[in-house]
Coordinates of all heavy atoms in Angstrom, one line a residue:
M166 N -121.1 0.3 95.9 CA -120.1 -0.5 95.4 C -120.7 -1.7 94.6 O -120.1 -2.0 93.6 CB -119.3 -1.1 96.6 CG -118.1 -1.8 96.2 SD -116.7 -0.8 96.7 CE -115.4 -1.9 96.1
S167 N -121.8 -2.2 95.1 CA -122.4 -3.3 94.4 C -123.0 -2.8 93.0 O -123.0 -3.6 92.1 CB -123.6 -3.8 95.3 OG -124.3 -4.8 94.5
N168 N -123.4 -1.6 93.0 CA -123.9 -1.0 91.7 C -122.8 -1.0 90.7 O -123.1 -1.3 89.5 CB -124.5 0.4 92.0 CG -125.3 0.8 90.8 OD1 -125.7 0.0 89.9 ND2 -125.6 2.1 90.7
K169 N -121.6 -0.6 91.1 CA -120.5 -0.6 90.1 C -120.2 -2.0 89.6 O -119.9 -2.2 88.4 CB -119.2 0.0 90.8 CG -119.1 1.5 90.7 CD -117.7 1.9 91.2 CE -117.5 3.3 90.8 NZ -116.2 3.8 91.2
A170 N -120.2 -3.0 90.5 CA -119.9 -4.4 90.0 C -121.0 -4.9 89.1 O -120.7 -5.5 88.1 CB -119.9 -5.3 91.3
T171 N -122.2 -4.5 89.3 CA -123.3 -4.9 88.4 C -123.2 -4.2 87.1 O -123.4 -4.8 86.1 CB -124.7 -4.5 89.1 OG1 -124.8 -5.1 90.4 CG2 -125.8 -5.0 88.2
D172 N -122.8 -2.9 87.1 CA -122.7 -2.2 85.9 C -121.5 -2.8 85.0 O -121.6 -2.9 83.8 CB -122.4 -0.7 86.1 CG -123.6 0.0 86.6 OD1 -124.8 -0.5 86.5 OD2 -123.5 1.1 87.2
S173 N -120.4 -3.1 85.7 CA -119.3 -3.6 85.0 C -119.6 -5.0 84.4 O -119.2 -5.4 83.3 CB -118.0 -3.7 85.8 OG -118.2 -4.6 86.9
S174 N -120.3 -5.8 85.2 CA -120.7 -7.2 84.6 C -121.6 -7.1 83.5 O -121.6 -7.8 82.5 CB -121.3 -8.1 85.7 OG -122.5 -7.6 86.2
Q175 N -122.6 -6.1 83.5 CA -123.5 -5.9 82.4 C -122.7 -5.4 81.2 O -123.0 -5.8 80.1 CB -124.6 -4.9 82.8 CG -125.6 -5.4 83.7 CD -126.6 -4.4 84.2 OE1 -126.4 -3.2 84.0 NE2 -127.7 -4.8 84.8
L176 N -121.7 -4.5 81.4 CA -120.9 -4.0 80.3 C -120.1 -5.1 79.7 O -120.0 -5.2 78.4 CB -120.0 -2.9 80.8 CG -119.1 -2.2 79.8 CD1 -120.0 -1.5 78.8 CD2 -118.1 -1.3 80.5
I177 N -119.6 -6.0 80.5 CA -118.8 -7.2 79.9 C -119.7 -8.1 79.2 O -119.4 -8.5 78.1 CB -118.1 -7.9 81.1 CG1 -117.0 -7.1 81.6 CG2 -117.6 -9.3 80.6 CD1 -116.4 -7.6 82.9
E178 N -120.9 -8.3 79.7 CA -121.9 -9.2 79.0 C -122.3 -8.5 77.6 O -122.4 -9.2 76.6 CB -123.1 -9.4 79.8 CG -122.9 -10.4 81.0 CD -124.1 -10.6 81.8 OE1 -125.2 -10.3 81.4 OE2 -123.9 -11.0 83.0
Q179 N -122.5 -7.2 77.6 CA -122.9 -6.5 76.4 C -121.7 -6.6 75.4 O -122.0 -6.8 74.2 CB -123.2 -5.1 76.8 CG -123.6 -4.2 75.6 CD -123.9 -2.8 75.9 OE1 -123.5 -2.3 77.0 NE2 -124.5 -2.1 75.0
K180 N -120.5 -6.4 75.8 CA -119.4 -6.5 74.9 C -119.2 -7.9 74.4 O -118.9 -8.1 73.2 CB -118.1 -6.1 75.6 CG -118.0 -4.6 75.8 CD -116.6 -4.2 76.4 CE -116.5 -2.7 76.6 NZ -115.2 -2.3 77.1
F181 N -119.4 -8.9 75.2 CA -119.4 -10.3 74.8 C -120.5 -10.6 73.7 O -120.2 -11.2 72.7 CB -119.5 -11.2 76.0 CG -119.4 -12.7 75.6 CD1 -118.2 -13.3 75.2 CD2 -120.6 -13.5 75.6 CE1 -118.2 -14.6 74.8 CE2 -120.5 -14.8 75.3 CZ -119.3 -15.4 74.9
A182 N -121.7 -10.1 73.9 CA -122.8 -10.3 73.0 C -122.4 -9.6 71.6 O -122.7 -10.2 70.6 CB -124.1 -9.7 73.6
M183 N -121.9 -8.4 71.7 CA -121.5 -7.7 70.5 C -120.4 -8.4 69.7 O -120.4 -8.5 68.5 CB -121.0 -6.3 70.8 CG -122.2 -5.3 71.0 SD -121.7 -3.5 71.0 CE -120.2 -3.4 71.9
A184 N -119.4 -9.0 70.5 CA -118.3 -9.8 69.8 C -118.9 -11.0 69.2 O -118.5 -11.4 68.1 CB -117.3 -10.1 70.9
K185 N -119.8 -11.7 69.9 CA -120.4 -12.9 69.3 C -121.2 -12.6 68.0 O -121.1 -13.3 67.0 CB -121.3 -13.5 70.4 CG -121.8 -14.9 70.0 CD -122.6 -15.5 71.2 CE -123.1 -16.9 70.8 NZ -123.8 -17.5 71.9
Q186 N -122.0 -11.5 68.1 CA -122.7 -11.1 66.9 C -121.8 -10.7 65.8 O -122.0 -11.0 64.6 CB -123.7 -9.9 67.2 CG -124.5 -9.4 66.1 CD -125.3 -8.2 66.4 OE1 -125.2 -7.7 67.5 NE2 -126.0 -7.7 65.5
S187 N -120.7 -10.0 66.1 CA -119.8 -9.6 65.0 C -119.1 -10.8 64.4 O -118.9 -10.8 63.2 CB -118.7 -8.7 65.7 OG -119.3 -7.5 66.1
S188 N -118.7 -11.8 65.2 CA -118.1 -12.9 64.6 C -119.0 -13.7 63.8 O -118.7 -14.3 62.7 CB -117.5 -13.8 65.7 OG -118.5 -14.4 66.5
H189 N -120.3 -13.7 64.1 CA -121.3 -14.4 63.3 C -121.5 -13.7 62.0 O -121.6 -14.3 60.9 CB -122.7 -14.5 64.1 CG -123.7 -15.2 63.3 ND1 -123.8 -16.5 63.0 CD2 -124.9 -14.6 62.7 CE1 -124.8 -16.8 62.3 NE2 -125.5 -15.7 62.1
E190 N -121.6 -12.4 62.0 CA -121.8 -11.6 60.8 C -120.5 -11.8 59.9 O -120.7 -11.8 58.7 CB -122.0 -10.1 61.1 CG -123.3 -9.8 61.7 CD -123.5 -8.3 62.0 OE1 -122.9 -7.5 61.3 OE2 -124.3 -8.0 63.0
A191 N -119.3 -11.8 60.5 CA -118.1 -12.0 59.7 C -118.1 -13.4 59.1 O -117.7 -13.5 57.9 CB -116.9 -11.8 60.6
A192 N -118.6 -14.4 59.8 CA -118.6 -15.7 59.2 C -119.6 -15.8 58.0 O -119.3 -16.4 57.0 CB -119.0 -16.8 60.3
I193 N -120.7 -15.2 58.2 CA -121.7 -15.1 57.1 C -121.2 -14.4 55.9 O -121.3 -14.8 54.7 CB -123.0 -14.5 57.6 CG1 -123.7 -15.4 58.7 CG2 -124.0 -14.3 56.4 CD1 -124.1 -16.7 58.2
A194 N -120.5 -13.3 56.1 CA -119.9 -12.5 55.0 C -118.9 -13.3 54.3 O -118.8 -13.3 53.1 CB -119.3 -11.2 55.5
G195 N -118.0 -14.0 55.1 CA -117.0 -14.9 54.5 C -117.6 -16.0 53.7 O -117.1 -16.4 52.6
L196 N -118.7 -16.6 54.2 CA -119.3 -17.7 53.5 C -119.9 -17.3 52.2 O -119.8 -18.0 51.2 CB -120.4 -18.3 54.4 CG -121.0 -19.6 53.9 CD1 -120.0 -20.7 53.9 CD2 -122.2 -20.0 54.8
K197 N -120.5 -16.1 52.2 CA -121.1 -15.6 50.9 C -120.0 -15.3 49.9 O -120.1 -15.7 48.7 CB -121.8 -14.3 51.2 CG -123.2 -14.5 51.9 CD -123.8 -13.1 52.1 CE -125.1 -13.3 52.9 NZ -125.7 -12.0 53.2
A198 N -118.9 -14.7 50.4 CA -117.8 -14.4 49.5 C -117.1 -15.7 48.9 O -116.8 -15.8 47.8 CB -116.7 -13.6 50.2
A199 N -117.0 -16.7 49.8 CA -116.4 -18.0 49.4 C -117.3 -18.7 48.3 O -116.8 -19.2 47.4 CB -116.2 -18.9 50.6
A200 N -118.6 -18.6 48.5 CA -119.5 -19.3 47.5 C -119.4 -18.6 46.2 O -119.3 -19.2 45.1 CB -120.9 -19.2 48.1
V201 N -119.4 -17.3 46.2 CA -119.3 -16.5 44.9 C -118.0 -16.8 44.2 O -117.9 -17.0 43.0 CB -119.6 -15.0 45.2 CG1 -119.2 -14.2 43.9 CG2 -121.0 -14.7 45.6
T202 N -116.9 -16.8 45.0 CA -115.6 -17.0 44.5 C -115.4 -18.4 43.9 O -114.8 -18.6 42.9 CB -114.5 -16.7 45.5 OG1 -114.7 -15.4 46.0 CG2 -113.1 -16.9 45.0
A203 N -116.0 -19.4 44.6 CA -115.9 -20.8 44.2 C -116.6 -20.9 42.8 O -116.0 -21.5 41.9 CB -116.5 -21.7 45.2
V204 N -117.7 -20.3 42.6 CA -118.4 -20.4 41.3 C -117.6 -19.7 40.3 O -117.4 -20.1 39.1 CB -119.9 -19.9 41.4 CG1 -120.5 -19.7 40.1 CG2 -120.7 -20.8 42.3
C205 N -117.2 -18.4 40.6 CA -116.5 -17.6 39.6 C -115.1 -18.2 39.3 O -114.5 -17.9 38.3 CB -116.3 -16.2 40.2 SG -117.8 -15.3 40.3
T206 N -114.5 -19.0 40.1 CA -113.3 -19.7 39.8 C -113.5 -21.0 39.1 O -112.7 -21.4 38.2 CB -112.5 -20.0 41.1 OG1 -112.4 -18.7 41.9 CG2 -111.1 -20.5 40.9
A207 N -114.5 -21.7 39.4 CA -114.8 -23.0 38.9 C -115.1 -22.9 37.4 O -114.6 -23.8 36.6 CB -115.9 -23.7 39.6
I208 N -115.9 -22.0 37.0 CA -116.3 -21.8 35.5 C -115.1 -21.7 34.6 O -114.9 -22.5 33.7 CB -117.3 -20.7 35.4 CG1 -118.6 -21.1 36.1 CG2 -117.6 -20.4 33.9 CD1 -119.6 -20.0 36.2
P209 N -114.2 -20.7 34.9 CA -113.0 -20.6 34.0 C -112.0 -21.8 34.1 O -111.4 -22.1 33.1 CB -112.3 -19.3 34.4 CG -113.1 -18.7 35.5 CD -114.2 -19.6 35.8
T210 N -111.9 -22.4 35.3 CA -111.0 -23.5 35.5 C -111.5 -24.7 34.6 O -110.7 -25.2 33.8 CB -110.9 -23.9 36.9 OG1 -110.5 -22.8 37.7 CG2 -110.0 -25.0 37.1
F211 N -112.7 -25.0 34.7 CA -113.2 -26.1 33.9 C -113.3 -25.8 32.4 O -113.0 -26.7 31.6 CB -114.6 -26.6 34.4 CG -114.6 -27.3 35.7 CD1 -115.2 -26.7 36.8 CD2 -114.0 -28.5 35.8 CE1 -115.1 -27.4 38.0 CE2 -114.0 -29.2 37.0 CZ -114.6 -28.6 38.1
A212 N -113.6 -24.6 32.1 CA -113.6 -24.2 30.7 C -112.2 -24.2 30.1 O -112.0 -24.7 28.9 CB -114.2 -22.8 30.5
S213 N -111.2 -23.8 30.8 CA -109.8 -23.8 30.3 C -109.3 -25.2 30.1 O -108.5 -25.5 29.2 CB -108.9 -23.0 31.2 OG -108.7 -23.7 32.5
V214 N -109.7 -26.1 31.0 CA -109.3 -27.5 30.8 C -109.8 -28.1 29.5 O -109.2 -28.9 28.9 CB -109.7 -28.3 32.1 CG1 -109.5 -29.8 31.8 CG2 -108.8 -27.9 33.3
R215 N -111.0 -27.7 29.2 CA -111.6 -28.3 28.0 C -111.1 -27.6 26.7 O -111.0 -28.2 25.7 CB -113.1 -28.0 28.0 CG -113.8 -29.0 29.0 CD -115.3 -28.8 28.8 NE -116.0 -29.8 29.7 CZ -116.6 -30.9 29.2 NH1 -116.6 -31.2 28.0 NH2 -117.1 -31.7 30.1
M216 N -110.6 -26.3 26.8 CA -110.3 -25.6 25.6 C -108.8 -25.5 25.3 O -108.3 -25.3 24.2 CB -110.8 -24.2 25.7 CG -112.3 -24.1 25.6 SD -112.8 -22.4 25.7 CE -114.5 -22.6 26.1
S217 N -108.0 -25.6 26.4 CA -106.5 -25.4 26.2 C -105.8 -26.7 26.4 O -106.0 -27.5 27.3 CB -106.0 -24.4 27.3 OG -104.6 -24.4 27.4
K218 N -104.8 -27.0 25.5 CA -104.0 -28.2 25.6 C -103.1 -28.1 26.8 O -102.9 -29.1 27.5 CB -103.2 -28.3 24.3 CG -104.0 -28.7 23.1 CD -103.1 -28.9 21.9 CE -103.9 -29.2 20.7 NZ -103.1 -29.4 19.5
W219 N -102.5 -27.0 27.1 CA -101.7 -26.8 28.2 C -102.5 -27.1 29.5 O -102.0 -27.8 30.4 CB -101.1 -25.4 28.3 CG -100.2 -25.2 29.5 CD1 -98.9 -25.5 29.6 CD2 -100.6 -24.8 30.8 NE1 -98.4 -25.2 30.9 CE2 -99.5 -24.8 31.6 CE3 -101.8 -24.3 31.3 CZ2 -99.5 -24.4 33.0 CZ3 -101.9 -23.9 32.7 CH2 -100.7 -24.0 33.5
A220 N -103.6 -26.5 29.6 CA -104.4 -26.7 30.8 C -104.9 -28.2 31.0 O -104.9 -28.7 32.1 CB -105.7 -25.8 30.8
K221 N -105.2 -28.8 29.8 CA -105.6 -30.2 29.9 C -104.5 -31.1 30.4 O -104.7 -32.0 31.2 CB -106.1 -30.7 28.5 CG -106.7 -32.0 28.6 CD -107.2 -32.4 27.2 CE -108.5 -31.7 26.9 NZ -109.2 -32.1 25.7
A222 N -103.3 -30.7 29.9 CA -102.1 -31.5 30.3 C -101.7 -31.3 31.8 O -101.3 -32.2 32.5 CB -100.9 -31.2 29.4
N223 N -101.8 -30.0 32.3 CA -101.4 -29.7 33.6 C -102.5 -29.7 34.7 O -102.2 -29.8 35.8 CB -100.6 -28.3 33.6 CG -99.4 -28.4 32.8 OD1 -98.5 -29.2 33.1 ND2 -99.3 -27.6 31.8
L224 N -103.7 -29.4 34.2 CA -104.8 -29.3 35.2 C -105.9 -30.4 34.9 O -107.0 -30.3 35.4 CB -105.4 -28.0 35.1 CG -104.5 -26.8 35.4 CD1 -105.3 -25.5 35.2 CD2 -103.9 -26.8 36.8
G225 N -105.5 -31.4 34.2 CA -106.5 -32.4 33.8 C -107.0 -33.3 35.0 O -108.1 -33.8 34.9
N226 N -106.2 -33.4 36.0 CA -106.7 -34.3 37.1 C -107.6 -33.5 38.1 O -107.5 -32.3 38.2 CB -105.5 -34.9 37.9 CG -104.6 -33.8 38.5 OD1 -104.7 -32.7 38.2 ND2 -103.7 -34.3 39.3
P227 N -108.5 -34.1 38.7 CA -109.5 -33.5 39.6 C -108.8 -32.8 40.8 O -109.3 -31.7 41.3 CB -110.4 -34.6 40.1 CG -110.2 -35.7 39.2 CD -108.8 -35.6 38.6
V228 N -107.7 -33.3 41.3 CA -107.1 -32.6 42.4 C -106.6 -31.2 42.1 O -106.7 -30.3 42.9 CB -105.9 -33.5 42.9 CG1 -105.1 -32.8 44.0 CG2 -106.4 -34.9 43.4
A229 N -106.0 -31.0 40.9 CA -105.5 -29.7 40.5 C -106.6 -28.7 40.5 O -106.5 -27.6 40.9 CB -104.8 -29.8 39.2
K230 N -107.7 -29.1 39.9 CA -108.9 -28.2 39.8 C -109.5 -27.9 41.2 O -109.8 -26.8 41.4 CB -110.0 -28.9 38.9 CG -109.6 -28.9 37.4 CD -110.7 -29.5 36.6 CE -110.3 -31.0 36.4 NZ -111.2 -31.7 35.4
T231 N -109.5 -28.9 42.0 CA -110.0 -28.7 43.4 C -109.2 -27.8 44.2 O -109.7 -26.9 44.9 CB -110.2 -30.1 44.1 OG1 -111.0 -30.9 43.3 CG2 -110.8 -29.9 45.4
V232 N -107.9 -27.9 44.0 CA -106.9 -27.1 44.8 C -107.1 -25.6 44.3 O -107.1 -24.7 45.2 CB -105.5 -27.5 44.6 CG1 -104.5 -26.5 45.0 CG2 -105.3 -28.9 45.3
I233 N -107.2 -25.4 43.0 CA -107.4 -24.0 42.6 C -108.7 -23.4 43.1 O -108.7 -22.3 43.6 CB -107.4 -24.0 41.0 CG1 -106.0 -24.3 40.5 CG2 -107.8 -22.6 40.5 CD1 -106.0 -24.6 39.0
I234 N -109.8 -24.1 43.0 CA -111.1 -23.6 43.4 C -111.1 -23.4 45.0 O -111.5 -22.4 45.5 CB -112.2 -24.5 42.9 CG1 -112.2 -24.5 41.4 CG2 -113.5 -24.1 43.5 CD1 -113.0 -25.6 40.8
T235 N -110.6 -24.4 45.7 CA -110.6 -24.3 47.1 C -109.7 -23.2 47.7 O -110.1 -22.5 48.6 CB -110.2 -25.7 47.7 OG1 -111.0 -26.7 47.2 CG2 -110.3 -25.7 49.2
Y236 N -108.5 -23.1 47.1 CA -107.6 -22.0 47.5 C -108.3 -20.6 47.4 O -108.2 -19.8 48.3 CB -106.3 -22.1 46.8 CG -105.3 -21.1 47.2 CD1 -104.6 -21.3 48.4 CD2 -105.0 -20.0 46.5 CE1 -103.6 -20.4 48.8 CE2 -104.1 -19.0 46.9 CZ -103.4 -19.3 48.1 OH -102.5 -18.4 48.5
A237 N -108.9 -20.4 46.2 CA -109.5 -19.1 45.9 C -110.7 -18.9 46.9 O -110.8 -17.8 47.4 CB -110.0 -19.0 44.5
A238 N -111.5 -19.9 47.1 CA -112.6 -19.7 48.0 C -112.2 -19.5 49.4 O -112.8 -18.7 50.2 CB -113.5 -21.0 47.9
G239 N -111.1 -20.2 49.9 CA -110.6 -20.0 51.2 C -110.1 -18.7 51.5 O -110.3 -18.0 52.5
M240 N -109.3 -18.2 50.5 CA -108.8 -16.8 50.6 C -109.9 -15.8 50.7 O -109.9 -14.8 51.5 CB -107.8 -16.5 49.5 CG -106.5 -17.3 49.5 SD -105.6 -17.1 51.1 CE -105.2 -15.4 51.0
A241 N -110.9 -16.0 49.8 CA -112.1 -15.0 49.8 C -112.8 -15.1 51.2 O -113.2 -14.0 51.7 CB -113.0 -15.4 48.7
Y242 N -112.9 -16.3 51.8 CA -113.6 -16.4 53.1 C -112.9 -15.6 54.1 O -113.5 -14.8 54.9 CB -113.7 -17.9 53.5 CG -114.3 -18.1 54.8 CD1 -115.6 -18.1 55.0 CD2 -113.5 -18.2 56.0 CE1 -116.2 -18.3 56.3 CE2 -114.0 -18.4 57.2 CZ -115.4 -18.4 57.4 OH -115.9 -18.6 58.6
F243 N -111.6 -15.8 54.2 CA -110.8 -15.1 55.3 C -110.7 -13.6 55.0 O -110.8 -12.8 56.0 CB -109.4 -15.7 55.4 CG -109.5 -17.1 56.1 CD1 -109.2 -18.2 55.4 CD2 -109.9 -17.2 57.4 CE1 -109.3 -19.5 56.0 CE2 -110.0 -18.4 58.0 CZ -109.7 -19.6 57.3
I244 N -110.5 -13.2 53.8 CA -110.4 -11.8 53.5 C -111.7 -11.0 53.8 O -111.7 -10.0 54.4 CB -109.9 -11.5 52.1 CG1 -108.5 -12.0 51.9 CG2 -110.1 -10.1 51.7 CD1 -108.0 -12.0 50.5
A245 N -112.8 -11.6 53.3 CA -114.1 -11.0 53.6 C -114.5 -11.0 55.1 O -115.0 -10.0 55.6 CB -115.2 -11.7 52.8
G246 N -114.2 -12.1 55.7 CA -114.4 -12.1 57.2 C -113.6 -11.1 57.9 O -114.1 -10.4 58.8
E247 N -112.4 -11.0 57.6 CA -111.5 -10.0 58.3 C -112.0 -8.6 58.0 O -112.0 -7.7 58.9 CB -110.1 -10.2 57.9 CG -109.1 -9.3 58.6 CD -109.0 -9.6 60.1 OE1 -109.3 -10.8 60.5 OE2 -108.7 -8.7 60.9
K248 N -112.4 -8.3 56.8 CA -112.9 -7.0 56.4 C -114.1 -6.6 57.3 O -114.3 -5.5 57.7 CB -113.2 -6.8 55.0 CG -111.9 -6.7 54.1 CD -112.3 -6.7 52.6 CE -113.0 -5.4 52.3 NZ -113.2 -5.3 50.8
K249 N -115.0 -7.6 57.4 CA -116.2 -7.4 58.2 C -115.9 -7.2 59.7 O -116.5 -6.3 60.3 CB -117.1 -8.6 58.0 CG -118.5 -8.4 58.6 CD -119.3 -7.4 57.8 CE -120.7 -7.3 58.2 NZ -121.5 -6.3 57.4
V250 N -114.9 -7.9 60.2 CA -114.5 -7.7 61.6 C -114.0 -6.3 61.8 O -114.3 -5.6 62.8 CB -113.5 -8.8 62.0 CG1 -112.8 -8.4 63.3 CG2 -114.2 -10.1 62.1
V251 N -113.1 -5.9 60.9 CA -112.6 -4.5 61.1 C -113.7 -3.5 60.9 O -113.7 -2.5 61.7 CB -111.5 -4.3 60.0 CG1 -111.0 -2.9 59.9 CG2 -110.3 -5.2 60.3
E252 N -114.6 -3.7 60.0 CA -115.7 -2.7 59.8 C -116.5 -2.6 61.1 O -116.9 -1.5 61.6 CB -116.5 -3.2 58.6 CG -117.8 -2.4 58.4 CD -118.7 -3.0 57.4 OE1 -118.2 -3.6 56.5 OE2 -120.0 -2.8 57.5
L253 N -116.9 -3.8 61.6 CA -117.7 -3.8 62.8 C -117.0 -3.2 64.1 O -117.6 -2.6 64.9 CB -118.3 -5.2 63.1 CG -119.3 -5.7 62.1 CD1 -119.6 -7.2 62.3 CD2 -120.6 -4.9 62.1
S254 N -115.7 -3.5 64.2 CA -115.0 -3.0 65.3 C -114.9 -1.5 65.3 O -115.0 -0.8 66.3 CB -113.6 -3.6 65.4 OG -112.8 -3.2 64.4
R255 N -114.7 -0.9 64.1 CA -114.7 0.5 63.9 C -116.0 1.1 64.3 O -116.1 2.1 65.0 CB -114.3 0.9 62.5 CG -112.9 0.8 62.1 CD -112.6 1.2 60.7 NE -111.2 1.0 60.4 CZ -110.8 0.9 59.2 NH1 -111.6 1.0 58.2 NH2 -109.5 0.8 58.9
K256 N -117.1 0.5 63.8 CA -118.4 0.9 64.1 C -118.7 0.9 65.6 O -119.2 1.9 66.2 CB -119.4 0.1 63.4 CG -120.9 0.4 63.7 CD -121.8 -0.6 63.0 CE -123.2 -0.6 63.6 NZ -124.0 -1.7 63.2
H257 N -118.3 -0.2 66.3 CA -118.6 -0.3 67.7 C -117.7 0.7 68.5 O -118.1 1.3 69.5 CB -118.4 -1.7 68.2 CG -119.4 -2.7 67.7 ND1 -120.7 -2.4 67.7 CD2 -119.2 -3.9 67.1 CE1 -121.3 -3.5 67.2 NE2 -120.4 -4.4 66.8
S258 N -116.5 0.9 68.1 CA -115.6 1.8 68.8 C -116.1 3.3 68.7 O -116.0 4.1 69.6 CB -114.2 1.7 68.4 OG -114.0 2.1 67.1
L259 N -116.6 3.6 67.5 CA -117.2 5.0 67.3 C -118.4 5.2 68.1 O -118.6 6.2 68.7 CB -117.5 5.2 65.8 CG -116.3 5.5 64.9 CD1 -116.8 5.5 63.4 CD2 -115.6 6.8 65.3
E260 N -119.3 4.1 68.2 CA -120.5 4.2 69.0 C -120.1 4.4 70.5 O -120.7 5.2 71.2 CB -121.3 3.0 68.9 CG -122.0 2.9 67.5 CD -122.7 1.6 67.3 OE1 -122.7 0.7 68.2 OE2 -123.4 1.4 66.2
A261 N -119.1 3.6 70.9 CA -118.6 3.7 72.3 C -118.1 5.1 72.6 O -118.3 5.7 73.7 CB -117.6 2.7 72.6
A262 N -117.3 5.7 71.7 CA -116.7 7.0 71.9 C -117.8 8.0 71.9 O -117.7 9.0 72.8 CB -115.7 7.3 70.7
K263 N -118.8 7.9 71.1 CA -119.9 8.9 71.1 C -120.7 8.8 72.5 O -121.0 9.8 73.1 CB -120.9 8.6 70.0 CG -120.4 9.1 68.6 CD -121.4 8.7 67.5 CE -120.8 9.1 66.2 NZ -121.8 8.7 65.1
A264 N -120.9 7.6 72.9 CA -121.6 7.4 74.2 C -120.8 8.0 75.4 O -121.3 8.6 76.3 CB -121.9 5.9 74.4
R265 N -119.5 7.7 75.3 CA -118.6 8.2 76.4 C -118.6 9.8 76.4 O -118.7 10.4 77.4 CB -117.2 7.7 76.2 CG -116.3 7.7 77.4 CD -115.0 7.0 77.2 NE -114.5 6.9 75.9 CZ -114.4 5.7 75.2 NH1 -114.7 4.6 75.7 NH2 -113.9 5.8 73.9
A266 N -118.5 10.4 75.2 CA -118.5 11.8 75.1 C -119.8 12.4 75.5 O -119.9 13.4 76.2 CB -118.2 12.2 73.6
K267 N -120.9 11.7 75.2 CA -122.2 12.2 75.6 C -122.4 12.1 77.1 O -122.9 13.1 77.8 CB -123.3 11.3 75.0 CG -124.7 11.8 75.2 CD -125.7 11.0 74.5 CE -127.1 11.5 74.8 NZ -128.1 10.7 74.1
S268 N -121.9 11.0 77.8 CA -122.0 10.9 79.2 C -121.1 12.0 79.9 O -121.5 12.5 80.9 CB -121.7 9.5 79.7 OG -120.3 9.2 79.4
E269 N -119.9 12.2 79.4 CA -119.0 13.2 79.9 C -119.6 14.6 79.8 O -119.5 15.4 80.7 CB -117.6 13.2 79.3 CG -116.8 11.9 79.6 CD -115.5 11.8 78.9 OE1 -115.2 12.8 78.1 OE2 -114.8 10.8 79.1
Y270 N -120.3 14.9 78.7 CA -120.9 16.2 78.5 C -122.0 16.4 79.4 O -122.1 17.5 80.0 CB -121.4 16.3 77.0 CG -122.2 17.5 76.7 CD1 -121.5 18.7 76.6 CD2 -123.5 17.6 76.6 CE1 -122.2 19.9 76.3 CE2 -124.2 18.7 76.4 CZ -123.5 19.9 76.2 OH -124.2 21.1 76.0
T271 N -122.8 15.4 79.7 CA -124.0 15.5 80.6 C -123.4 15.7 82.1 O -124.0 16.4 82.9 CB -124.9 14.3 80.5 OG1 -124.2 13.1 80.7 CG2 -125.6 14.3 79.2
L272 N -122.3 15.0 82.4 CA -121.7 15.2 83.7 C -121.2 16.6 83.9 O -121.4 17.1 85.0 CB -120.6 14.1 83.9 CG -121.1 12.7 84.2 CD1 -119.8 11.8 84.3 CD2 -121.9 12.6 85.5
T273 N -120.5 17.1 83.0 CA -119.9 18.4 83.1 C -121.0 19.5 83.1 O -120.9 20.5 83.7 CB -118.9 18.7 82.0 OG1 -119.5 18.6 80.7 CG2 -117.7 17.8 82.1
K274 N -122.1 19.3 82.3 CA -123.2 20.2 82.2 C -124.0 20.3 83.5 O -124.4 21.3 84.0 CB -124.1 19.9 81.1 CG -125.1 20.9 80.7 CD -125.8 20.6 79.5 CE -126.7 21.7 79.1 NZ -127.5 21.4 77.9
S275 N -124.1 19.1 84.2 CA -124.9 19.1 85.4 C -124.1 19.7 86.6 O -124.7 20.1 87.6 CB -125.3 17.7 85.8 OG -124.2 16.9 86.0
N276 N -122.8 19.7 86.5 CA -122.0 20.3 87.6 C -122.0 21.8 87.5 O -122.1 22.7 87.3 CB -120.5 19.8 87.6 CG -120.5 18.3 88.0 OD1 -121.4 17.9 88.7 ND2 -119.5 17.6 87.6

């Protein structure tokens, strides 16, 4: 009975470690996407304000430019992070299914 409790606590700790690693990887992926998006959004935003009369009139203040860049970067962060979480959860569930099938196969083969 004690062995089952130890196995289940080890399994919970292993799942917690995988979840922590997955969230860290998702945050890094989101950060990279946000940085690239911020640069890719800032260049055309600042260029359009300098070249277009409409943009100069409507986006001339720093707040408007900041809102555009920040919104795009924030969306990229959350979208890339969510995609990474889904990718890693699929990977971990497939690995768990393979391990479960392997253990069931060895149990039925030994009987």
